[in-house]
């Protein structure tokens, strides 16, 4: 038996469940894109774990008490103290969310034609790299691309591939090496401490700054504690400090493990680089002591970071995600194994083998799940990561997943059981599910606003 939730529910939001006919109408009106649904039409919302956490009573009460100041507010100093404590960083820049951190950092670091190696780019990181004229390069270990391969650290960077890549392109054309912990795109898979250390050594050898895309750093630390020799008896906080000791900087979306609705950080060790990022962010985000946020948000991030790095919280978090994964595996639903830290990824290629990737099987599965049970998941497949060639033909993505992201401290195990049961029912009638035809998509981050129609 696993430990029960380390909190109790103090406030509730009643949920509405539409009829299947109503949902059919809504998804059609939404162009078969769940991003265009109204959230009130969703019964269980697993679109994202980003900005959807339930806050603690401490976070909320401190927010109310926080004084709003343009410059030098107490909330800034509280966050400064927490960033030092948790990450061991003296210098940071506050921004309004993770992609703003990427925007600021890449605007300062990247020049046209530069390469940015990463284990696997997240969609906004990829888009921001391209937006600044850079070329995102994914160099994850091979098993990261095999949904059936069982390995402890499928998020790892392939260090040999990285070294070869640097030799081939020349370190001068690589302004930063990134490592995403955990690897969201690859299924929330963790990166080992050994890998973080080795990548940092390669970066140092070639004098290239090494940054962590640290959105789910504490979930990554929990995996290290569970799976890596020598870390069994260390706390999440101790492991976190060690992970960040290897990095020259980090980008962070507080919407994940800040346990808040909005916010982001850039941590930077180098004084000069910090100054450049800070000065740019004054122009595009805000004065350094609030960074595009209300001061109350800084207070909530500061407390949220402390709560997210508690061992008992991380144990609860992992058990919840694993419970959903195990329920699906019991029914032989194909998912990425072993399950990652924040979501269960259903492999749509194996779920719907009769739909070719050019007909968006993961998108089709996502819209069917909403239609049948009111659950909103998200496509991370050819709509999100595919490309189009010069003739306008679709180049399929490497993987074709439907992601069920679990918001933090929001849903009960019973609700997750409902999710598992609904997917099982869909699986039983999977042969009736048809592919989709894309009728519209902008060039970058097209999946957010893409439109589809049934293909036959
Ligand atoms: C969410 C996320 C981002 C972007 O953060 P936003 O706050 O959504 O802008 C970047 N990288 C990874 C790995 C993420 O999960």
């Amino acid at each position: 038996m696993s430990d029960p939730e380390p909190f109790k529910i103090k406030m509730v939001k009643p949920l509405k469940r539409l009829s299947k006919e109503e949902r059919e109408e809504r998804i059609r009106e939404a162009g078969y894109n769940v991003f265009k649904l109204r959230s009130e039409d969703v019964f269980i919302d697993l679109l994202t774990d980003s900005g959807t956490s339930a806050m603690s009573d401490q976070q909320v009460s401190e927010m109310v008490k926080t004084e709003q100041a343009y410059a030098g507010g107490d909330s800034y100093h509280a966050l400064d103290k927490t960033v030092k404590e948790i990450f061991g960083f003296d210098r940071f820049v506050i921004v309004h969310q993770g992609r703003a951190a990427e925007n600021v950092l890449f605007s300062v670091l990247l020049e046209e034609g530069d390469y940015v190696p990463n284990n696997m780019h997240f969609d906004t990181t990829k888009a921001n790299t391209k937006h600044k004229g850079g070329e995102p390069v994914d160099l994850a270990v091979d098993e990261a691309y095999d949904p059936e391969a069982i390995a402890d650290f499928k998020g790892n960077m392939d260090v040999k591939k990285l070294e070869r890549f640097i030799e081939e392109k020349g370190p001068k054309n690589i302004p930063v090496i990134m490592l995403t912990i955990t690897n969201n795109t690859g299924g929330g898979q963790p990166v080992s401490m050994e890998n973080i250390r080795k990548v940092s050594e390669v970066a140092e050898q070639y004098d290239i700054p090494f940054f962590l895309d640290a959105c789910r750093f504490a979930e990554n630390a929990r995996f290290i504690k569970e799976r890596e020799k020598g870390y069994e008896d260390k706390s999440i906080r101790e492991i976190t400090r060690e992970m960040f000791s290897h990095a020259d900087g980090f980008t962070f979306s507080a919407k994940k493990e800040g346990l808040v609705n909005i916010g982001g950080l850039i941590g930077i060790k180098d004084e000069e680089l910090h100054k450049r990022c800070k000065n740019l962010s004054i122009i595009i985000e805000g004065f350094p002591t609030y960074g595009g946020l209300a001061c109350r948000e800084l207070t909530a991030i500061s407390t949220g970071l402390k709560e997210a790095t508690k061992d008992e919280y991380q144990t609860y978090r992992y058990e919840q995600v694993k419970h959903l994964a195990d329920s699906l595996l019991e029914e032989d639903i194909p998912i990425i194994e072993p399950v990652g830290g924040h979501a269960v990824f259903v492999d749509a290629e194996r779920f719907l083998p009769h739909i070719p990737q050019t007909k968006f099987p993961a998108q089709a599965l996502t819209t069917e799940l909403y239609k049948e049970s009111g659950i909103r998941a998200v496509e991370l497949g050819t709509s999100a990561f595919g490309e189009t060639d010069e003739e306008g033909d679709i180049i399929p993505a490497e993987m074709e997943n439907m992601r069920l992201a679990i918001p933090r401290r929001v849903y009960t195990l019973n609700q997750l059981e409902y999710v598992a049961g609904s997917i099982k029912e869909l699986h039983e009638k999977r042969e009736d599910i048809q592919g989709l035809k894309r009728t519209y998509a902008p060039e970058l981050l097209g999946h957010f606003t893409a439109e589809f129609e049934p293909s036959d």
Side-chain angles (χ1 to χ4, degrees):
M1 198 174 70
S2 58
D3 283 343
E5 288 81 354
F7 54 80
K8 65 177 181 179
I9 297 168
K10 251 180 137 176
M11 227 185 272
V12 295
K13 153 120 185 91
L15 295 173
K16 185 176 82 178
R17 185 149 46 150
L18 300 179
S19 69
K20 190 175 162 190
E21 290 69 34
E22 288 171 311
R23 288 195 300 257
E24 262 166 1
E25 200 181 307
R26 300 289 196 280
I27 195 72
R28 192 172 52 246
E29 286 165 1
Y32 296 88
N33 182 347
V34 292
F35 281 104
K36 294 190 178 181
L37 290 170
R38 294 180 67 141
S39 65
E40 64 167 16
D41 294 338
V42 174
F43 181 49
I44 294 189
D45 203 348
L46 307 185
L47 182 75
T48 177
D49 64 324
S50 180
T52 53
S53 300
M55 277 195 262
S56 66
D57 55 351
Q58 192 186 340
Q59 282 177 297
V60 174
S61 61
E62 286 172 353
M63 283 175 87
V64 175
K65 286 189 217 152
T66 301
E67 184 176 297
Q68 176 61 25
Y70 192 96
D74 287 350
S75 56
Y76 172 76
H77 295 290
L79 184 58
D80 180 61
K81 187 160 168 270
T82 304
V83 168
K84 274 198 186 85
E85 244 170 61
I86 305 270
F87 303 111
F89 270 60
D90 291 331
R91 297 190 188 90
F92 66 101
V93 176
I94 301 165
V95 290
H96 81 276
Q97 64 183 93
R99 73 198 70 184
E102 293 159 0
N103 184 15
V104 170
L105 182 69
F106 295 161
S107 294
V108 168
L109 283 180
L110 263 61
E111 282 172 21
E112 190 73 33
D114 279 345
Y115 298 94
V116 180
N118 202 322
N119 45 348
M120 230 186 256
H121 282 82
F122 182 62
D123 57 5
T124 63
T125 324
K126 190 172 174 181
N128 264 302
T129 304
K130 287 185 175 177
H131 189 248
K132 313 290 173 289
E135 179 74 43
V137 186
D138 291 348
L139 299 174
V141 290
D142 289 342
E143 57 262 35
Y145 297 98
D146 179 355
E148 289 171 85
I150 304 287
D152 284 342
F153 293 102
K154 284 172 83 170
N156 281 356
M157 177 92 90
D158 189 322
V159 180
K160 287 230 161 61
K161 274 191 218 163
L162 175 65
E163 286 175 314
R164 265 199 308 263
F165 186 81
I166 300 171
E167 286 296 333
E168 188 190 321
K169 302 294 180 189
K172 290 224 154 31
N173 300 314
I174 304 173
V176 61
I177 295 170
M178 309 261 316
L179 198 51
T180 307
I181 59 170
T182 57
N183 177 11
N184 185 359
T185 307
Q189 298 293 326
V191 177
S192 71
M193 188 73 83
E194 186 191 10
N195 195 250
I196 294 174
R197 200 188 62 243
K198 281 189 175 157
V199 172
S200 81
E201 284 166 4
V202 171
E204 197 180 339
Q205 183 192 330
Y206 290 99
D207 204 19
I208 301 171
F210 168 50
F211 271 64
L212 293 169
D213 179 343
C215 294
R216 298 176 183 81
F217 70 95
E219 287 168 13
N220 199 84
R222 199 213 62 84
F223 280 112
I224 288 175
K225 182 178 168 73
E226 177 193 80
R227 297 179 185 173
E228 198 162 347
K229 211 164 164 272
Y231 292 94
E232 308 80 354
D233 300 323
K234 292 203 156 77
S235 68
I236 300 290
R237 295 244 177 112
E238 286 169 319
I239 297 170
T240 297
R241 281 294 287 265
E242 187 177 331
M243 292 190 307
F244 284 81
S245 73
H246 295 297
D248 299 307
F250 65 88
T251 54
F252 176 64
S253 167
K255 299 172 73 174
K256 284 52 173 264
E257 295 204 288
L259 301 179
V260 294
N261 304 127
I262 195 78
L265 299 172
I266 318 170
I268 307 161
K269 281 187 184 153
D270 182 75
E271 192 177 349
E272 187 53 35
L273 182 59
H274 174 252
K275 206 177 277 170
R276 290 171 67 199
C277 289
K278 192 170 72 178
N279 288 338
L280 175 61
S281 88
I282 293 173
I283 301 167
I284 62 178
E285 289 289 297
F287 189 71
T289 64
Y290 70 85
L293 297 169
C295 289
R296 56 177 173 266
E297 307 288 354
L298 308 194
T299 314
I301 295 170
S302 178
T303 301
L305 279 170
K306 288 182 208 156
E307 291 174 356
T309 47
K310 284 195 177 141
D311 285 54
E312 61 175 12
Y313 161 77
Q314 282 298 336
T315 303
Y316 147 73
R317 170 76 177 151
Y318 178 65
E319 298 271 333
Q320 197 181 35
V321 176
K322 189 163 182 322
H323 183 86
L324 176 59
D326 288 345
S327 307
L328 291 172
L329 284 172
E330 266 167 37
E331 303 295 341
D332 291 324
I333 311 289
I335 64 168
I336 296 191
E337 288 185 81
V339 71
H342 68 292
V344 178
F345 285 62
V346 178
D347 181 355
E349 274 192 284
R350 280 186 287 154
F351 199 110
L352 300 170
H354 58 286
I355 304 180
Q357 276 190 285
T358 48
K359 289 188 176 178
F360 303 97
Q363 184 73 16
L365 185 57
T366 304
T367 53
E368 283 298 316
L369 182 62
Y370 172 74
K371 228 167 30 186
E372 291 295 323
S373 20
I375 298 161
R376 176 158 66 171
V378 73
E379 191 259 19
L380 289 180
T382 299
S383 174
F385 297 114
E387 314 256 346
T388 35
D389 66 16
E390 275 142 33
E391 274 93 59
D393 288 332
I394 292 159
I395 308 167
E398 198 99 30
M399 291 192 285
E400 194 66 37
N401 294 314
M402 175 178 76
R403 185 186 73 180
L404 303 155
I406 317 293
R408 297 173 177 81
R409 307 189 290 206
V410 172
Y411 289 116
T412 64
L413 282 188
N414 241 337
Q415 287 166 320
L416 295 183
E417 288 284 329
Y418 170 80
V419 173
S422 303
I423 293 173
K424 179 185 165 222
E425 280 174 19
L426 261 190
H427 196 237
E428 279 159 9
K429 48 185 173 189
R430 60 189 177 278
E431 277 155 27
D432 301 337
I433 300 175
Q434 291 177 3
L436 294 168
K437 190 172 116 195
R438 189 164 60 190
T439 54
Y440 166 74
E443 199 187 330
L444 290 179
L445 294 180
H447 58 298
F448 287 131
T449 50
E451 285 168 22
F452 301 85
E453 57 190 33
S455 76
D456 306 301

